[in-house]
């Protein structure tokens, strides 16, 4: 039994992918959202931060890698995908691995991951915290990991940093100069950014609160008990 073919190929054409066609026509481009089904690309962008705490002999190196969603579109977004913490010291290896795996799982799940910052920064060490270089108080090493995460999320645009406007900066600079002149010194101890004798600020955790015009004022964030 023979088959008779009634149709034949007379030509061909290339069909554009839907995303490319949508970009050219201005139609809505399918937006890729962060979720657990998203596969890890071969290459990720990221940054590594150094933590040197007096509670540990060796420094910690925190690496946060990001995935770029919807590149080249108005919906382009950089989201954290994974986190690693490395150190020469191995005494805390177990809890560090556990922490980074849980945080990476939260990143990949999608949604709002900024809550991790406050959760980590609220952890206190029963042995007491420590002052970082510059007079910023850290209640624990975990809290400093939270501060590193906050710094990274601000850098990629997922969080907004607390910034003073130009008028506030000029005001605080003027008040600081007057305070240092009244002390007859400009030495900044125990940190290197604020005058000696400064107290800890309950808002920004910087040792930068001094008495200005009879009111306790923070030279770092501008917080004042007088309003």
């Amino acid at each position: 039994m023979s088959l008779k073919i009634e149709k034949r190929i007379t030509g061909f054409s290339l069909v554009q992918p839907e995303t490319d066609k949508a970009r050219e026509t201005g139609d809505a481009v399918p937006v890729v959202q962060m979720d657990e089904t998203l596969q890890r690309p071969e290459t990720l962008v990221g940054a590594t931060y150094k933590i040197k705490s007096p509670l540990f002999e060796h420094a910690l190196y925190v690496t946060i890698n990001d995935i770029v969603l919807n590149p080249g579109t108005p919906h382009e977004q950089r989201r954290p995908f994974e986190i690693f913490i490395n150190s020469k010291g191995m005494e805390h290896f177990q809890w560090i691995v556990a922490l980074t795996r849980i945080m990476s799982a939260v990143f990949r799940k999608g949604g709002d991951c900024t809550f991790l910052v406050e959760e980590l920064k609220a952890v206190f060490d029963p042995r007491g915290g420590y002052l970082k270089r510059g007079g910023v108080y850290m209640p624990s090493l975990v809290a400093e990991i939270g501060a590193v995460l906050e710094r990274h999320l601000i850098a990629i645009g997922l969080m907004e940093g607390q910034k003073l406007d130009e008028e506030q900066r000029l005001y605080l600079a003027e008040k600081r100069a007057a305070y240092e002149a009244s002390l007859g010194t400009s030495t900044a101890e125990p940190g290197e950014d604020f005058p000696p004798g400064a107290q800890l600020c309950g808002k920004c955790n910087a040792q930068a609160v001094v008495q200005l015009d009879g009111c306790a004022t923070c030279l770092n964030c501008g917080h004042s008990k007088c309003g």
Side-chain angles (χ1 to χ4, degrees), residues 52-56 120-133 135-144 200 205 207:
K52 189 65 180 78
S53 166
L55 303 179
F56 290 85
L120 294 175
K121 290 175 68 175
V123 176
F124 290 80
D125 192 321
R127 297 173 296 177
Y130 54 91
L131 284 174
K132 288 180 57 179
R133 188 182 181 90
V136 178
Y137 176 75
M138 283 295 162
S140 68
L141 181 62
V142 175
E144 187 159 4
L200 190 66
N205 279 344
Q207 193 164 6

Side-chain angles (χ1 to χ4, degrees), residues 175 179 182 197-199 208-217 225-226:
K175 291 298 182 180
Y179 179 80
S182 67
Q199 302 300 311
V209 176
V210 298
Q211 290 293 326
L212 295 176
D213 300 328
C215 185
T217 304
K225 292 184 177 180
C226 299

Side-chain angles (χ1 to χ4, degrees), residues 2 26 53 91-92 98 139 203 222:
S2 61
S53 166
E91 63 270 22
H92 299 285
K203 184 177 180 180

